[in-house]
Amino acid sequence: MSVHTLTVGSLAPRRGAVRRLLAKDSVARRIDWVLMVAALALSGLGTVLIYSATRNRTDITGGDPEFFLVRQIVNVAIGLALAVLIMWLGHHRLRSAVPVVYVLSLAAMALVFTPLGTEINGQRAWLSIGGYTLQPGEFAKVAIVLGMAMILADQVDAGDREYPGTRAILQALALAGAPLCVVVVDDMGMAMVLSFIVLGILLASGTPLRWSLGLMLAGVVGAVLVWALGVLDEYQLDRFGAFVNPSLDPSGVGYNTNQARIAIGSGGLYGKGLFHGTQTTGQFVPEQHTDFIFTVAGEELGFVGAGGIILLIALVLWRALRIARGSSDLYSTIIAAGIVAWLSFQCFENIGMALGIMPVAGIPLPFLSYGGTAMFATWIAIGLLQSIRLKRSLSA
């Protein structure tokens, strides 16, 4: 009898903890677990693919086959911690800190033109600090999303207007224009992503369609002027030339795209098996652990595995769209929509350049490519989405 009483008594606190965990208003119940699991699955798959692409690369690992594996695990862990921190702080609480975040990100982007800046693959877009390289442009994505959301939603959420006014739109475009001007010359890939984020935010904020059409027209005119004035570097022009005609220089600028397509095509339906890709093991595809990580999936996991990755990406975007549609205020809607624009374009461009249907632009694949800064920014985006979801569920 005493044993029975002791057992029931010991279980009571545990049952109470379970009830609190499963309560309707608990954080655990209000988190979008489909989004979280899909993002974690992509990050886990990316880590394994990075290991496959680098374990034999003694030229970049220093003889340690687990060098990039360990670093990427740390990157994912830090990214997840940042997401949890954002969820705990809440996107509305961060609203007052947006100007500081924006100024710091812009200052960091400007530092790439100082001795701290490092040039990688022809692009001067990284900072080298204490042996680590950071890409400030990744945090600029977060700053632009939050900054434009704050400006465009200010009067609407206050009930003063039905949609953003001309002054607010111009201020938001000026805010986005500064980092765009910094990256447009040396990092066309980043400029493309930032431009698509701006376009997506304008469409989601309820601004008149003429602003979006005008922005696209200005982008076309700007691209023509940049081309005509010779602002682009030769390697950038070569990349576009290779995209238009991959056979133009198969052993030069067209090499990356040709080898990427060969690797993906050789995988067939089910792939050659994890760690058994001949193109990957033979190191035929350059930058395979970063920009061309999708080729590892295509070769070793085949059409089924690569298609599964695309489905997981689509699942993340679908849940993000649901969060945007269910947001309780314009500020939250714009943040979620900006993140959807960011992730969707970046995934399309990265996978597209691996398949040869988009120009090579040096854009990592979210969640999967190796890189600390990109992983941190992507998981901050997930934290912002979850914060919006938590607020909506609490007010519902």
Side-chain angles (χ1 to χ4, degrees):
M1 185 70 178
S2 60
V3 173
H4 176 73
T5 304
L6 178 63
T7 303
V8 173
S10 63
L11 286 177
R14 297 181 184 179
R15 290 174 178 171
V18 171
R19 290 194 191 98
R20 289 193 296 273
L21 185 65
L22 298 179
K24 186 178 180 180
D25 61 344
S26 69
V27 172
R29 284 287 296 272
R30 289 185 284 123
I31 286 176
D32 190 330
W33 285 107
V34 176
L35 172 64
M36 186 64 77
V37 171
L40 284 170
L42 285 170
S43 295
L45 281 169
T47 302
V48 174
L49 295 176
I50 288 167
Y51 176 61
S52 178
T54 60
R55 62 195 180 94
N56 294 318
R57 293 288 307 272
T58 56
D59 56 321
I60 59 176
T61 63
D64 180 7
E66 298 179 352
F67 179 81
F68 285 96
L69 172 66
V70 173
R71 287 200 168 198
Q72 188 68 356
I73 290 174
V74 173
N75 290 338
V76 174
I78 294 175
L80 185 58
L82 289 172
V84 172
L85 177 63
I86 296 295
M87 290 164 58
W88 177 70
L89 290 173
H91 64 292
H92 275 286
R93 198 181 301 177
L94 288 171
R95 195 168 185 163
S96 59
V98 169
V100 177
V101 173
Y102 175 79
V103 171
L104 289 176
S105 66
L106 196 60
M109 292 177 71
L111 284 176
V112 301
F113 301 105
T114 70
L116 290 175
T118 300
E119 186 175 301
I120 300 177
N121 294 331
Q123 295 178 338
R124 194 174 182 83
W126 283 263
L127 292 176
S128 180
I129 302 174
Y132 293 91
T133 55
L134 304 173
Q135 190 174 12
E138 292 293 337
F139 294 125
K141 298 172 187 176
V142 178
I144 286 178
V145 168
L146 292 175
M148 291 189 71
M150 183 185 70
I151 294 172
L152 293 172
D154 189 30
Q155 290 183 313
V156 177
D157 286 341
D160 298 332
R161 298 185 63 93
E162 293 184 8
Y163 55 85
T166 301
R167 182 177 179 181
I169 296 172
L170 290 174
Q171 288 175 339
L173 290 177
L175 177 141
L180 266 170
C181 290
V182 175
V183 302
V184 71
V185 176
D186 278 331
D187 194 348
M188 288 299 296
M190 183 65 70
M192 291 165 62
V193 177
L194 296 183
S195 298
F196 205 83
I197 290 174
V198 173
L199 182 61
I201 286 176
L202 288 180
L203 291 172
S205 64
T207 58
L209 187 59
R210 63 178 181 271
W211 286 97
S212 299
L213 294 176
L215 184 64
M216 288 188 285
L217 179 61
V220 172
V221 173
V224 172
L225 287 175
V226 167
W227 186 286
L229 295 175
V231 176
L232 295 178
D233 291 331
E234 185 176 353
Y235 81 92
Q236 292 173 320
L237 295 174
D238 289 342
R239 282 182 175 180
F240 282 105
F243 165 66
V244 176
N245 183 11
S247 62
L248 181 65
D249 186 8
S251 61
V253 293
Y255 180 81
N256 289 20
T257 301
N258 287 328
Q259 292 301 321
R261 294 170 71 177
I262 291 171
I264 293 174
S266 67
L269 185 61
Y270 298 109
K272 298 176 180 178
L274 197 60
F275 309 130
H276 291 90
T278 54
Q279 295 293 117
T280 299
T281 304
Q283 304 172 24
F284 288 102
V285 184
E287 309 299 333
Q288 200 169 18
H289 62 301
T290 54
D291 297 345
F292 288 95
I293 190 66
F294 190 74
T295 63
V296 185
E299 181 182 23
E300 299 189 348
L301 304 180
F303 178 81
V304 173
I309 288 175
I310 293 175
L311 287 176
L312 282 173
I313 292 172
L315 187 58
V316 169
L317 296 175
W318 170 57
R319 301 305 294 187
L321 279 172
R322 281 176 58 91
I323 290 172
R325 290 185 60 186
S327 301
S328 57
D329 53 77
L330 185 60
Y331 176 66
S332 302
T333 299
I334 292 175
I335 291 175
I339 291 171
V340 171
W342 159 11
L343 296 180
S344 60
F345 177 79
Q346 196 162 323
C347 289
F348 177 77
E349 164 60 28
N350 180 277
I351 295 174
M353 72 183 190
L355 295 174
I357 62 174
M358 292 294 286
V360 176
I363 296 176
L365 184 57
F367 300 107
L368 286 97
S369 291
Y370 175 78
T373 320
M375 185 64 71
F376 303 159
T378 302
W379 273 101
I380 286 173
I382 296 298
L384 288 169
L385 289 172
Q386 294 288 8
S387 172
I388 296 169
R389 161 82 177 191
L390 290 174
K391 183 179 185 300
R392 184 195 69 181
S393 300
L394 191 59
S395 60

